[in-house]
Amino acid sequence: MSQPPAPRPSRRTALAALAALSAGGAAALAGCSTDGTPTGEQQPTTTSAAGAPSGSAATSTAAASSAAASSSSSSSATGGVPTGADITAGPATSTGVALTFHGAGDPKITQDVVRELASAGALITVMAIGTWLAEDPQMAKLLLDHGHELGNHTWSHRDMPSLSAADTTAEVQRAAAELKALTGSPGRWFRPSATSASTPQIRAAATAAGYGACLMYDVDPMDNRDPGSAAITSRLLGAVRPGSIVSLHLGHAGTRDALPAVLDGLRQKGLQAVTASQLLGVR
């Protein structure tokens, strides 16, 4: 870093902000499990079954209401998470941003990331690969002990859209079983691997395993290609907006090195890194 980071809020201040965000997010997502869209409430951004954006700034309220209505019958079975269309962002009125990390790679980098997040009072969601957890089960405890959230990013990170139905189901369920064995829960969120949008077959497998809509993203700085910390920071902060869900990757040194500047940049924008559940108001 060429300049010292901006002053960071105290942990007490950060936790108070997170609590407020969680309460606000719950109200914002309430319309996702009821018929229709209440006036004045923002819906999370979703994509249609065909993968076309249906919750961006250009999306009609009618399309969002249709997705909410279609998910209302099964949301109670998935912990309040709507089924159907992918979730790609949270409410645009939020001051939260969900930094979601692909969980794999060198445990030392994950430990460094956790320390940086703790010093900043920031929280993340890690979409863990089952084989990573099986090889380094202490990673689950480390993340949960620091208040972060774990989700399912398949068992072995295969090309999900190209798999058979049986293999798709196995990738989802085997990772869910690993999460449950380590933590007592399969996690609230599922994200398919090797794709930026789900397919009907993927959604069916996720629903059968107890998950709701697939948790995708609207910001991707392509950090997995290792462009360097400066490029990651610039790309992320240039694209992020209130309510964004960001795709990042553990196990990459450039991502770890970018994190202080990313968190400082979010604060300068009046934004706070929160878990996906806090952003979307799901408890």
Side-chain angles (χ1 to χ4, degrees):
M1 300 286 296
S2 60
Q3 296 183 353
R8 292 175 173 143
S10 69
R11 188 167 182 79
R12 177 175 297 179
T13 300
L15 291 174
L18 289 172
L21 282 165
S22 181
L29 189 63
C32 285
S33 55
T34 59
D35 292 335
T37 305
T39 301
E41 291 189 355
Q42 291 283 341
Q43 297 295 313
T45 301
T46 61
T47 55
S48 69
S54 65
S56 62
T59 302
S60 69
T61 301
S65 298
S66 176
S70 68
S71 67
S72 62
S73 62
S74 55
S75 61
S76 62
T78 55
V81 180
T83 56
D86 294 343
I87 297 173
T88 57
T93 54
S94 174
T95 57
V97 167
L99 301 181
T100 65
F101 285 77
H102 161 126
D106 185 353
K108 175 63 167 59
I109 293 180
T110 298
Q111 293 164 2
D112 293 343
V113 166
V114 167
R115 279 194 292 271
E116 179 61 35
L117 293 166
S119 69
L123 295 177
I124 63 171
T125 296
V126 174
M127 306 302 294
I129 296 173
T131 53
W132 180 65
L133 292 179
E135 292 167 3
D136 293 291
Q138 70 274 16
M139 291 294 98
K141 184 177 188 302
L142 173 71
L143 290 161
L144 293 178
D145 283 353
H146 283 81
H148 306 298
E149 181 174 42
L150 282 173
N152 180 338
H153 193 40
T154 76
W155 172 250
S156 60
H157 206 264
R158 299 175 67 186
D159 183 355
M160 290 289 281
S162 71
L163 299 182
S164 67
D167 285 346
T168 298
T169 296
E171 281 288 313
V172 178
Q173 293 191 350
R174 192 173 179 188
E178 184 69 25
L179 279 163
K180 189 168 184 179
L182 291 176
T183 71
S185 167
R188 176 171 287 129
W189 304 105
F190 172 74
R191 175 177 293 166
S193 52
T195 182
S196 60
S198 68
T199 64
Q201 180 171 284
I202 290 170
R203 289 192 294 277
T207 300
Y211 298 103
C214 294
L215 183 71
M216 304 310 285
Y217 46 86
D218 67 328
V219 176
D220 183 6
M222 308 297 285
D223 63 317
N224 58 313
R225 297 184 181 180
D226 298 317
S229 60
I232 293 167
T233 301
S234 175
R235 292 172 185 177
L236 193 160
L237 294 178
V240 75
R241 63 169 181 78
S244 279
I245 299 174
V246 183
S247 172
L248 292 166
H249 294 72
L250 294 176
H252 290 258
T255 303
R256 174 199 60 197
D257 297 344
L259 195 55
V262 164
L263 295 173
D264 285 340
L266 291 177
R267 280 191 293 272
Q268 291 169 19
K269 290 175 175 287
L271 301 172
Q272 172 70 33
V274 299
T275 69
S277 288
Q278 287 172 321
L279 177 66
L280 299 170
V282 179
R283 301 183 181 187

